[in-house]
Amino acid sequence: MNTTIHNEARQGEAFAPAAPETAETRKKFYIESYGCQMNFADSEIVASILGENGFGATRNFEEADLVLLNTCSIREKAEQTVRKRLTEFRKAKLRKPGMLVGVLGCMAERLKGKFLEEEKLVDLVVGPDAYRTLPGLVEEAEGGQKAVNVLLSREETYADISPVRLNSNGVTAFVSIMRGCNNMCSFCVVPFTRGRERSRDAQSIVQECTDLFNSGYREVTLLGQNVDSYYWMEESSLRTEERTAAINFALLLERVATISPLLRIRFSTSHPKDITDEVLHTIARYNNICNYIHLPVQSGSTRVLQLMNRTYTREWYQAKVDRIREIIPGCGITTDIIAGFCTETEEDHRDTLSLMEYSRYDYGYMFFYNERPGTLAARRYTDDIPEDVKKRRLQEIVDLQYRLSLESNQADVGKTVEVLIEGNSKKSDQEWMGRTSENKVIVFPKAGYHFNKGDYATVKVTGCNKATLMGNVTGGN
Ligand code: SAM
Ligand code: SF4
């Protein structure tokens, strides 16, 4: 459902070729992306930087001069997938001498130069704040030198770089509004791999969204690890004196919402400690800001939340859910949950299950705890929950979420909803697939109407399963 987080279906996705190759395109690059949507958005920035430097994209790594993997470190499994994939490039490299292999993103940042020792075939290691130096590093590597740049920055936001939209449905796009994270959730590697939090220039965000709208896009998702702490001091020279204005996340949302009522706005991720009433009221005020909030809870036990350094309690979280439902009736709410964090008891686990029931999530991203080197939890606590217990608890969480998702969808049957059409349904080109404002996937027959993707349709919900709504158009083209 939610595509802003870790989307299993997109892991390892390769870019389709960009615009037709030009005579200036000297060389070809191939890029595969793993992890969260931030990484996919970063790959679009990398594609833009390489495009400016004479590289054209290819979807076939065998013909590439430069093979890049944009990697994720959030769990060990994500790193193993990348290591396995690297072995597959070994043969290609033997067949094509001169081919360079580069590792980008969180794994590059976490392992730094160690990567070159561990994976002999890797020529380049480039951290998430160093992509502007990629063309120079490639040149260095072409000269036979292994190249590494993993410097983190306090300023880099790539604000001026216009991402190359590839593999896009032409309707929905992701726009990065900030980078890094200043929270120190004890289980999380992100603050170490992505550095300090910084917000991107508001004007460049509004410009990118406006450009997307003008080229036919109808939905933007504003991305950050903690969007509610977005903050930008805007300078303007009104009259003669210099003026500055502070733009927080609510104001940014408003600015993007006023580009056009036909442009839908989503955002991810909200931290329960930071999401404000001002943001909730802004969502309620604008019809085109979607009624949907991804609000990761991680655990339902106040004791565990404290160990996780989430800085809120169970009661605080419940009050946030109440507030969302009060200000935005019918708002879709999804979450992230970790099962089996250090010292978690059966009672703590039951607290998580009961908080899920309380919040009635529409969907959840559910994981069992995986200790990550260097994190606060790895240094302070023992990863003491046996794997079989973690897995059993996770299964109970998953089973409960399946029931909650089904019940949430069943409650929509009979309602009439506004749907933004994203393309054909997976199963049939006789059906459209789109999303409701609450981020639920809905499919409906095309017959009798002349919609195109990017259009809005009014659809009556006639049936569902736990993942998808089904419906029929009640009006429109
Ligand atoms: N910034 C977001 C937030 O605060 O929720 C999400 C960051 S992270 C990329 C996405 C999710 O991965 C987290 O919400 C958490 O549930 C999960 N996660 C992070 N570290 C983990 C770990 N060590 N073990 C298991 N799951 C983890
Ligand atoms: Fe990780 Fe917490 Fe930052 Fe999210 S808010 S990226 S979970 S440290």
Side-chain angles (χ1 to χ4, degrees), residues 6-16 29-47 68-72 78 81-82 85 89 104-105 131 166-167 194:
H6 181 106
N7 183 343
E8 261 333 305
R10 294 199 67 187
Q11 298 306 298
E13 192 172 273
F15 271 121
F29 75 95
Y30 168 91
I31 188 165
E32 249 176 43
S33 308
Y34 294 84
C36 67
Q37 202 50 57
M38 278 271 177
N39 251 10
F40 285 77
D42 276 4
S43 292
E44 297 186 337
I45 287 168
V46 169
L68 298 172
L69 292 185
N70 197 355
T71 62
C72 169
T81 310
V82 166
R85 188 67 177 132
F89 295 133
L104 314 178
Y131 297 145
L166 299 160
N167 284 10
R194 297 212 145 237

Side-chain angles (χ1 to χ4, degrees), residues 74-75 187 225 269 296 298 310 336 338 367-368 370 372:
I74 202 84
R75 281 168 291 273
F187 51 80
Q225 294 297 351
T269 299
Q298 313 299 359
R310 289 290 287 181
D336 292 351
I338 298 177
F367 317 97
F368 59 80
N370 179 223
R372 304 306 290 132

Side-chain angles (χ1 to χ4, degrees), residues 97-113:
M99 175 193 270
L100 296 176
V101 175
V103 174
L104 314 178
C106 289
M107 236 176 131
E109 193 61 52
R110 197 177 81 72
L111 294 162
K112 305 186 170 55

Side-chain angles (χ1 to χ4, degrees), residues 4 38 80 97 99 115 131 137 165 169 184 201 205 218 234 283 373 378:
T4 61
M38 278 271 177
Q80 281 165 354
M99 175 193 270
F115 220 122
Y131 297 145
L137 295 170
R165 310 279 165 192
N169 58 12
M184 274 286 171
D201 174 351
I205 296 169
R218 290 295 173 263
E234 185 168 69
I283 299 171

Side-chain angles (χ1 to χ4, degrees), residues 84-151:
K84 191 158 162 276
R85 188 67 177 132
L86 279 173
T87 63
E88 291 163 27
F89 295 133
R90 189 162 285 133
K91 281 193 213 117
K93 210 173 162 172
L94 283 175
R95 275 195 299 274
K96 192 167 188 237
M99 175 193 270
L100 296 176
V101 175
V103 174
L104 314 178
C106 289
M107 236 176 131
E109 193 61 52
R110 197 177 81 72
L111 294 162
K112 305 186 170 55
K114 249 169 75 186
F115 220 122
L116 296 176
E117 291 156 35
E118 289 172 17
E119 303 284 349
K120 297 275 182 259
L121 91 157
V122 173
D123 305 289
L124 292 145
V125 176
V126 189
D129 287 346
Y131 297 145
R132 284 182 203 269
T133 65
L134 201 48
L137 295 170
V138 170
E139 243 171 67
E140 238 176 80
E142 280 169 345
Q145 282 275 72
K146 302 253 176 192
V148 182
N149 188 351
V150 288
L151 283 178

Side-chain angles (χ1 to χ4, degrees), residues 10 64 121 137 171 234 256 268 318 324 358 370 423 447 469:
R10 294 199 67 187
L121 91 157
L137 295 170
V171 179
E234 185 168 69
V256 180
S268 190
Q318 285 173 321
I324 293 170
Y358 184 91
N370 179 223
L469 301 175

